[in-house]
Amino acid sequence: MTRGEFEIIASIARRIPAPGRDVVVGEGDDCAVIRCDAREDLLVTTDLLLEGRHFLPDAAPQDVGWKALAVSISDVAAMGGRPRHAVAAIALRPQQTGAYADGLATGLLRCARRHGVDLVGGDTNATDGPAVVCVTLTGKVARGRAVLRSGARVGDAICVTGALGGSLARRHLRVTPRVAEAAALVRGGRVHAMIDLSDGLSSDLGHVLDASRVGAEVWADAVPVHRDARRASAQDGRSALAHALDDGEDFELLFTVPERRARSLAKSGLAGTPVAWIGRITRRGYVLRDREGGPGRAMIRGGHDHFRSP
Ligand SMILES: [Mg+2]
């Protein structure tokens, strides 16, 4: 029997007993949310990078170390939180224990310093297989203010930061987590739902729809296509739009807000990053339209599944 990533997660989630009262949000969002004091809630997330899957053996170890922490910081940002403490567990082959290990640490520590994260511990191990780098990160958010995947409302505008697609060619290791953008967004209030784009827009927006029990329409002409997506399209013949919808590893933010807020965000951007208003939350269904009011077709969740992709 083989199963997809989401089936595995669902089968484990079903077996988790009812959590304690301090668990505000358990499995199923970008981070878990734990009540800890009267002022702030604690966020917790973990990510595992596997050599040959998430990075190639010839990737610079500094980039791998940076990415290992940056992807978790992106998850904390997607909750509207501030990253705080990290632990890192690393398994390396014997020939990677010298300069390679130092490079990993350099990248990890550089990312930590940039984002105000304290590295507070970890574990190292030896392996004969691919290298593994696993980072667990905590964050803080004002009590009760974590932005969840489950808050999208019918009529909300759907927005994304930055531009999407084609990240695998060059950008995917140099992740820039959108912490400042998320903070500015949350300060303005009325953010109903948020997720970071790791699997790909079609799949990640699908997670928001599932959690919020709503539908959506996305307007193809409004999706911000990265120039790397156009480059990838020229090479493999898949449309640039398909790359923008399905590629994943963009680590941009997708969020839903009232339309008035979307209108002003599309003009002003967030912390210097452009914001695109790409669609609307609907009662049900998942539709890709050429443009607002234009002809539609079913949106296919084409995003990344670690256990299904070749
Ligand atoms: Mg995420």
Side-chain angles (χ1 to χ4, degrees):
M1 177 179 70
T2 68
R3 294 185 292 190
E5 179 178 7
F6 300 118
E7 292 170 81
I8 297 170
I9 294 170
S11 81
I12 296 171
R14 276 195 297 274
R15 297 172 55 187
I16 301 176
R21 285 182 55 198
D22 57 345
V23 179
V24 181
V25 177
E27 181 279 332
D29 216 304
D30 292 289
C31 297
V33 183
I34 316 284
R35 185 123 297 161
C36 58
D37 63 39
R39 260 172 15 103
E40 291 182 307
D41 289 334
L42 179 72
L43 304 171
V44 187
T45 184
T46 192
D47 272 287
L48 183 149
L49 299 190
L50 191 60
E51 185 180 24
R53 270 283 170 175
H54 305 96
F55 61 95
L56 294 174
D58 62 355
Q62 290 87 344
D63 286 348
V64 175
W66 173 283
K67 179 177 181 176
L69 177 56
V71 294
S72 282
I73 293 175
S74 179
D75 278 324
V76 167
M79 306 297 285
R82 199 160 43 83
R84 285 302 301 122
H85 305 99
V87 290
I90 295 169
L92 298 171
R93 289 189 299 282
Q95 62 271 31
Q96 292 174 316
T97 52
Y100 194 90
D102 289 341
L104 273 181
T106 297
L108 199 63
L109 290 167
R110 201 176 279 158
C111 187
R113 187 168 16 150
R114 173 75 61 85
H115 292 97
V117 170
D118 293 318
L119 187 64
V120 293
D123 191 22
T124 58
N125 216 322
T127 179
D128 300 324
V132 179
V133 186
C134 178
V135 170
T136 301
L137 177 68
T138 71
K140 288 290 185 74
V141 66
R143 178 174 164 134
R145 292 296 178 82
V147 183
L148 310 183
R149 297 177 178 183
S150 56
R153 302 178 199 174
V154 175
D156 274 357
I158 303 165
C159 298
V160 293
T161 58
L164 311 180
S167 85
L168 216 56
R170 303 183 303 172
R171 306 183 332 270
H172 77 108
L173 288 173
R174 307 271 172 91
V175 177
T176 306
R178 299 302 197 186
V179 182
E181 289 80 356
L185 179 67
V186 169
R187 260 199 309 278
R190 304 202 67 190
V191 189
H192 293 159
M194 183 149 59
I195 189 170
D196 70 323
L197 294 178
S198 53
D199 296 335
L201 188 150
S202 61
S203 188
D204 287 321
L205 175 55
H207 298 323
V208 171
L209 305 185
D210 291 346
S212 301
R213 300 170 186 276
V214 292
E217 57 175 54
V218 172
W219 310 320
D221 70 342
V223 173
V225 177
H226 198 283
R227 62 176 187 277
D228 288 346
R230 299 188 201 287
R231 203 166 289 150
S233 170
Q235 281 170 13
D236 66 11
R238 277 176 69 222
S239 73
L241 176 68
H243 279 285
L245 294 176
D246 300 335
D247 276 359
E249 304 248 328
D250 295 304
F251 298 102
E252 296 291 347
L253 298 171
L254 180 148
F255 54 92
T256 82
V257 288
E259 292 205 351
R260 259 188 68 189
R261 184 96 203 275
R263 206 165 290 127
S264 79
L265 284 171
K267 285 196 194 107
S268 65
L270 281 167
T273 300
V275 169
W277 177 4
I278 63 162
R280 186 177 286 121
I281 296 294
T282 59
R283 213 161 283 289
R284 64 180 69 83
Y286 194 12
V287 176
L288 178 65
R289 297 193 187 285
D290 294 347
R291 58 188 180 281
E292 185 175 6
R297 55 191 182 278
M299 177 81 107
I300 307 300
R301 300 188 189 205
H304 192 69
D305 179 332
H306 298 292
F307 294 93
R308 284 283 153 79
S309 57

